[in-house]
Amino acid sequence: MSYEFEVLKQRFDEGELNISEYLPFPIKESWLRCKNNALDMKGGLQYERLRKNRFAELKYDSRLLIESSKNHLQRLHDSVADAGWSVLLTDANCNTLHVMRSNKIVNDDLFSAFDSGVVLNERNVGTTAMSCSIHSKRFTRVYGNEHYNTVLTGLNCAALPILSPKGIAIGSINVTNENPLNDPTVFFMLKACAKNIQKQLIYSMPETLVIEMTLSSGQFGELTNLIIGVGPDTSIVGCNEAAQRFLFNNCPVSNQKFQSIFDTPFSDVLDFGVRQQKIFKLRATSGVFLTAKVVQSFAQPKISNNPSVQSIPDHIEHQVDPVYFGDPNISKSIDRGRKVIGRLPVILLGESGVGKEVSAQHLHLESQCSGKFISINCASIPESLIESELFGYQGGAFTGADKKGYKGRIAEAHNGTLFLDEIGDMPLVMQSRLLRVLETRKVNPLGSNIEKEVSFQLICATNIDLAKLVESGGFRKDLYYRIKGYSINLLPLRSRVDKIGIADVILRKDCLNKSMLDEDVKRLIENYDWPGNIRELRNALLYADTINEGDDTITLEELPEEYHTLVAPLPESPQACENKKSLGKVDIEMQKLISTALTQCKGNVSEAAKWLGMSRATLYRKLPANYAKSVSS
């Protein structure tokens, strides 16, 4: 580690965040995110691994990406492995999908990290080339000391995002070496691999006519060529990165019609490109002529029927969607929100812990926008800083301001989604400035007279009644009606129809050891009020998953102790009551013993069970009737 970089890292770790300006942009942003998540720069690493069942589901969800990447990754690996480079494919959350190691790996950290099913996101391991490339949607190198976690300073990585036909980052390709080789040849091959995978993804779209265009009389198949996918209704359903830059000015495709991009009639494409299979000319609306060729007509996609990728593995049972709301009314509202978000602001209403940010992220991912999801909690930012945080500032605008200035969170949301959580807590003076931004779609940083145009989808959230806050003068009426385009009421967990389904999703997504619930836990989930909502339920299940005292089924005893007495014993059936009349002497003596134990333990069932040497579940089944309604934990 160079002395200068060692000092830089130390100063950043001690809280001097402005020093990150000396880092390349994607790495700087990653360091700030890591710091914001309270990640220890000098902490050790324990790589999280996905449970076998969860990893199988993840591969199924990413089957198109895996299949489209397979041959291209193999060719890349064959070319670079002897030079010490290992190749890794991840999804958009930096979960490893496929790994091809170099046989020259020496570093144990690298060896253990490079395995399928390992979680390599920033919250787990800090800055990586994968996370930086996915966030920035650009080629990124993270060498040695640029890794946030000092344990990874012996690794040198480069990565590129894999973009879907809609231009959304759905994964990444990473190459890593223990030697700090700045090899332009390897990086060129990495970029070529990513472009070829994106092209294959376009080819894999069902019922899509694919057109390849050259900017001159060059050869078809070149990586710089423009590729678009056209649906049966002549809408543009996808394109590669080159076409997005050239034809759409880096804006989302958004199902634009073929005729809005080209002056050439689509009938010419069908005639010359499909029927006659000839090379033809396309005239863009800008007047530029392109040489074009239909490389795939309306037919089944060009992807193999590999059963290991295309079908759901046998051991995976049918389960609810990973983004599951447990209530048909909420699902219907969210689906409508997905349709309107590009044209209207959306406001999410509900108690704390009902999943407002998760819902906002879901709407963002389901939308057509190509930018980032920028989340701002209006209640957590000090009032003295909220203006500069939202709107940014020019260098030297105030004492302590960074000399290079700050872009501001609203500007960061350009072409993406701005999520304003707890908007009811925004100071009135800031409400006025936000209203102006929403009306003009321009932002004016502090200390600057230059306005910057911004375009973003707006999602707000609150757990208070904004209408009443307007009446009391705590919230601007004009801003209220500006953000109230479409309202989604996220019911509290106690009011949702399928609480067990929500718990199942938490088990599948977040738990490593547990995959089922016993009957007592199910009854607890169904009958308890859950004042902390989904957040409280998730914490309870993660607690049981962490202590992991039994098999893969969560029992009541494995939950935090405050839940132990919230489940009353099941009411006895008429048959059980009849059988009770003929209780044998042993059962009567057992009930006397339990009564004595409960008296000794002052009604505490957990202590009584320990005193008797039996489980709480057994004690509950044999509980004397006079104690059924009076026991405590």
Side-chain angles (χ1 to χ4, degrees):
M1 178 187 290
S2 68
Y3 175 75
E4 292 82 1
F5 209 96
E6 184 176 1
V7 172
L8 186 152
K9 247 186 166 177
Q10 181 178 347
R11 289 170 64 184
F12 183 89
D13 194 31
E14 292 172 351
E16 194 174 340
L17 305 188
N18 291 343
I19 200 74
S20 63
E21 294 294 340
Y22 292 99
L23 295 168
F25 170 72
I27 298 174
K28 164 199 163 184
E29 294 295 303
S30 175
W31 277 31
L32 292 172
R33 287 192 298 269
C34 292
K35 191 71 172 179
N36 188 53
N37 289 325
L39 198 65
D40 186 359
M41 185 175 277
K42 299 174 183 177
L45 291 179
Q46 290 185 344
Y47 296 109
E48 178 186 342
R49 294 178 182 274
L50 298 168
R51 287 191 297 121
K52 184 177 180 181
N53 195 52
R54 173 63 183 137
F55 182 50
E57 291 177 348
L58 187 68
K59 288 197 296 184
Y60 176 72
D61 292 340
S62 304
R63 61 196 181 279
L64 187 59
L65 172 60
I66 294 172
E67 181 68 7
S68 299
S69 306
K70 184 173 59 178
N71 293 335
H72 302 296
L73 291 175
Q74 188 62 57
R75 284 195 287 269
L76 176 62
H77 177 256
D78 292 344
S79 300
V80 303
D82 286 344
W85 295 95
S86 296
V87 179
L88 181 149
L89 173 71
T90 79
D91 66 4
N93 296 314
C94 292
N95 299 307
T96 56
L97 299 173
H98 187 53
V99 173
M100 286 175 281
R101 298 191 186 105
S102 168
N103 57 10
K104 298 185 177 182
I105 295 177
V106 175
N107 188 301
D108 289 338
D109 288 316
L110 178 60
F111 190 87
S112 59
F114 265 47
D115 194 11
S116 297
V118 175
V119 182
L120 297 177
N121 58 36
E122 284 181 347
R123 288 183 179 272
N124 283 48
V125 300
T127 300
T128 64
M130 295 92 74
S131 64
C132 288
S133 68
I134 290 170
H135 275 92
S136 65
K137 295 178 69 172
R138 67 172 74 170
F139 171 78
T140 306
R141 286 174 47 198
V142 179
Y143 268 35
N145 303 323
E146 293 173 333
H147 289 91
Y148 184 84
N149 197 310
T150 55
V151 174
L152 299 180
T153 55
L155 309 182
N156 306 284
C157 314
L160 262 170
I162 299 175
L163 302 180
S164 74
K166 297 286 188 182
I168 298 170
I170 58 173
S172 74
I173 315 172
N174 176 84
V175 292
T176 298
N177 203 319
E178 292 174 275
N179 297 315
L181 303 173
N182 186 14
D183 192 337
T185 304
V186 172
F187 300 153
F188 175 82
M189 288 190 287
L190 176 66
K191 294 174 183 178
C193 183
K195 290 180 180 179
N196 280 325
I197 293 172
Q198 187 185 32
K199 180 164 69 173
Q200 184 63 51
L201 288 168
I202 297 172
Y203 284 161
S204 301
M205 298 178 73
E207 291 301 318
T208 299
L209 184 144
V210 181
I211 304 173
E212 183 177 343
M213 294 159 282
T214 67
L215 301 178
S216 61
S217 57
Q219 294 294 314
F220 288 99
E222 292 183 357
L223 294 175
T224 54
N225 287 350
L226 283 58
I227 300 175
I228 62 170
V230 185
D233 61 350
T234 75
S235 61
I236 310 296
V237 295
C239 67
N240 67 351
E241 191 176 9
Q244 192 171 38
R245 286 198 307 269
F246 186 84
L247 297 174
F248 302 99
N249 195 28
N250 281 329
C251 294
V253 174
S254 300
N255 289 326
Q256 295 189 53
K257 292 291 186 178
F258 178 89
Q259 214 58 53
S260 67
I261 307 300
F262 300 101
D263 288 336
T264 306
F266 190 67
S267 58
D268 285 3
V269 177
L270 297 176
D271 186 14
F272 297 108
V274 178
R275 296 188 184 93
Q276 301 183 42
Q277 298 183 2
K278 291 182 177 180
I279 294 173
F280 56 98
K281 293 288 185 181
L282 279 178
R283 186 177 188 273
T285 52
S286 62
V288 174
F289 278 96
L290 301 168
T291 305
K293 177 183 179 180
V294 172
V295 293
Q296 176 178 292
S297 188
F298 296 113
Q300 292 301 314
K302 293 182 179 179
I303 190 165
S304 69
N305 293 317
N306 185 338
S308 66
V309 175
Q310 293 296 317
S311 58
I312 301 178
D314 293 337
H315 63 278
I316 298 179
E317 299 178 0
H318 175 70
Q319 294 176 321
V320 291
D321 192 278
V323 181
Y324 183 64
F325 301 99
D327 192 276
N329 291 328
I330 297 178
S331 298
K332 184 177 180 180
S333 296
I334 292 288
D335 187 58
R336 287 180 175 175
R338 178 182 60 81
K339 295 176 182 178
V340 306
I341 188 173
R343 302 181 65 184
L344 288 172
V346 173
I347 185 165
L348 303 171
L349 309 172
E351 298 176 5
S352 178
V354 295
K356 294 190 284 291
E357 183 159 2
V358 171
S359 301
Q361 289 175 335
H362 176 67
L363 290 171
H364 166 75
L365 292 173
E366 289 291 311
S367 71
Q368 297 292 326
C369 73
S370 61
K372 300 178 183 178
F373 177 84
I374 300 298
S375 174
I376 302 172
N377 190 316
C378 300
S380 66
I381 304 174
E383 188 169 343
S384 59
L385 297 178
I386 191 169
E387 186 171 16
S388 59
E389 182 72 14
L390 286 176
F391 304 104
Y393 56 82
Q394 192 175 35
F398 52 87
T399 302
D402 193 295
K403 294 180 180 179
K404 294 184 178 180
Y406 174 60
K407 188 176 183 179
R409 302 289 278 166
I410 292 178
E412 287 182 5
H414 182 59
N415 288 331
T417 300
L418 179 66
F419 175 55
L420 298 177
D421 197 7
E422 307 300 350
I423 191 170
D425 292 303
M426 179 178 285
L428 278 169
V429 64
M430 289 301 100
Q431 293 178 27
S432 300
R433 288 208 60 186
L434 176 63
L435 178 64
R436 188 174 185 280
V437 171
L438 297 181
E439 290 175 339
T440 65
R441 293 290 165 166
K442 294 180 180 179
V443 63
N444 189 6
L446 289 173
S448 173
N449 295 321
I450 301 175
E451 291 185 320
K452 299 179 180 178
E453 292 191 1
V454 288
S455 175
F456 53 81
Q457 300 173 157
L458 179 65
I459 305 177
C460 299
T462 183
N463 60 4
I464 60 178
D465 190 333
L466 286 184
K468 289 184 177 179
L469 195 60
V470 169
E471 291 178 5
S472 66
F475 200 83
R476 290 183 61 106
K477 185 176 182 179
D478 43 8
L479 178 60
Y480 172 63
Y481 287 108
R482 172 67 67 173
I483 65 175
K484 190 176 175 290
Y486 177 71
S487 300
I488 298 176
N489 183 25
L490 296 174
L491 297 173
L493 180 57
R494 60 184 173 274
S495 301
R496 299 199 190 183
V497 174
D498 186 15
K499 293 186 277 292
I500 300 299
I502 294 173
D504 286 339
V505 171
I506 295 171
L507 288 176
R508 183 156 56 94
K509 291 179 65 179
D510 300 324
C511 292
L512 300 175
N513 304 305
K514 301 293 187 179
S515 59
M516 292 186 289
L517 309 167
D518 79 358
E519 291 305 313
D520 282 344
V521 175
K522 288 181 179 179
R523 286 166 52 214
L524 167 69
I525 292 173
E526 289 285 6
N527 299 320
Y528 181 49
D529 276 349
W530 298 108
N533 290 297
I534 297 173
R535 185 182 296 124
E536 182 185 0
L537 173 61
R538 180 177 182 273
N539 289 343
L541 297 180
L542 287 182
Y543 177 92
D545 185 65
T546 302
I547 64 171
N548 189 29
E549 293 180 342
D551 55 18
D552 61 351
T553 299
I554 294 179
T555 64
L556 198 62
E557 289 79 6
E558 291 173 301
L559 295 177
E561 191 162 345
E562 60 263 29
Y563 298 104
H564 290 183
T565 58
L566 296 177
V567 179
L570 287 170
E572 293 181 311
S573 65
Q575 182 63 40
C577 292
E578 184 66 28
N579 292 340
K580 199 169 184 180
K581 295 178 182 178
S582 58
L583 275 173
K585 184 177 180 181
V586 174
D587 291 322
I588 294 173
E589 291 301 318
M590 176 59 74
Q591 289 204 347
K592 289 181 179 178
L593 190 59
I594 292 174
S595 297
T596 301
L598 288 169
T599 301
Q600 290 288 332
C601 299
K602 298 180 180 179
N604 188 307
V605 176
S606 298
E607 292 298 323
K610 292 178 183 177
W611 193 78
L612 292 167
M614 64 174 63
S615 71
R616 294 181 75 260
T618 301
L619 189 148
Y620 263 125
R621 285 196 300 271
K622 298 180 180 294
L623 198 64
N626 60 314
Y627 279 99
K629 296 182 179 180
S630 60
V631 294
S632 63
S633 64

